[in-house]
Amino acid sequence: DSGDKTGIYYAGILLLDLVIAPVSEEFMNRGLIYRRGRTYLKVLFSELVSCAVFALMHGSLISAVYAFFFGMLLSEVYEAGRHLGFSVVCHAAGNLVSVLFSCVASLRLLSSGHPGILLASGVLVFLFGRIWIAFMNGKLIPGFLSGRRHRGKE
């Protein structure tokens, strides 16, 4: 029953979903697995391995598929900015969208866990990520981070 939940409960959810999970998951998946992997492997293979690990961390099949493709976007964000902070911000934004959709679902306006919710949140996060990449590549603000994009072995 949502009536039993306190502000501390919701603050904990926000702290976990918007800070702890993005920082720890990005450090592990993009910071360790992807970055180390692309030193020794082709970029695409390193990206696929880190995204597969990221997907397996997310439980259900629907969440894993969403997480895999979200991980691909996060890898691109990391490559565009060459700093984990950028992928952490994008990851937190994606989690925020999911939290907001969950809140709407808990109000019974949408059915919880419905694939349409995941699809809608995926589209919003993808659009945010592409805008974020354009911003980092200086297409929204000319010269911002210009010349910082560098990939490992192609």
Side-chain angles (χ1 to χ4, degrees):
D1 184 304
S2 62
D4 297 324
K5 295 176 181 163
T6 66
I8 293 172
Y9 169 82
Y10 291 112
I13 294 293
L14 291 175
L15 178 66
L16 180 65
D17 285 350
L18 303 183
V19 178
I20 296 171
V23 169
S24 61
E25 290 176 1
E26 288 309 301
F27 177 76
M28 186 175 93
N29 289 288
R30 256 57 64 196
L32 295 176
I33 297 170
Y34 176 70
R35 186 168 43 195
R36 282 286 182 205
R38 87 165 188 234
T39 302
Y40 303 104
L41 307 167
K42 291 186 179 280
V43 170
L44 180 60
F45 185 71
S46 179
E47 188 171 19
L48 292 174
V49 169
S50 72
C51 292
V53 170
F54 186 62
L56 291 172
M57 294 170 58
H58 285 82
S60 73
L61 180 60
I62 291 174
S63 294
V65 170
Y66 169 80
F68 182 85
F69 289 105
F70 186 41
M72 298 284 282
L73 176 67
L74 293 171
S75 294
E76 288 299 312
V77 168
Y78 172 75
E79 277 296 330
R82 303 297 292 158
H83 191 279
L84 281 177
F86 295 117
S87 60
V88 168
V89 168
C90 190
H91 190 149
N95 286 1
L96 177 61
V97 169
S98 294
V99 166
L100 292 176
F101 274 113
S102 294
C103 290
V104 169
S106 71
L107 295 173
R108 299 187 195 327
L109 297 175
L110 297 169
S111 61
S112 182
H114 189 275
I117 293 172
L118 288 173
L119 179 62
S121 64
V123 168
L124 287 173
V125 169
F126 178 78
L127 291 174
F128 173 80
R130 296 315 295 174
I131 291 168
W132 188 247
I133 289 170
F135 172 75
M136 289 187 304
N137 284 333
K139 292 181 179 157
L140 295 181
I141 299 177
F144 183 79
L145 293 179
S146 60
R148 289 190 63 187
R149 184 174 174 96
H150 170 73
R151 295 188 76 128
K153 294 182 178 180
E154 298 293 335

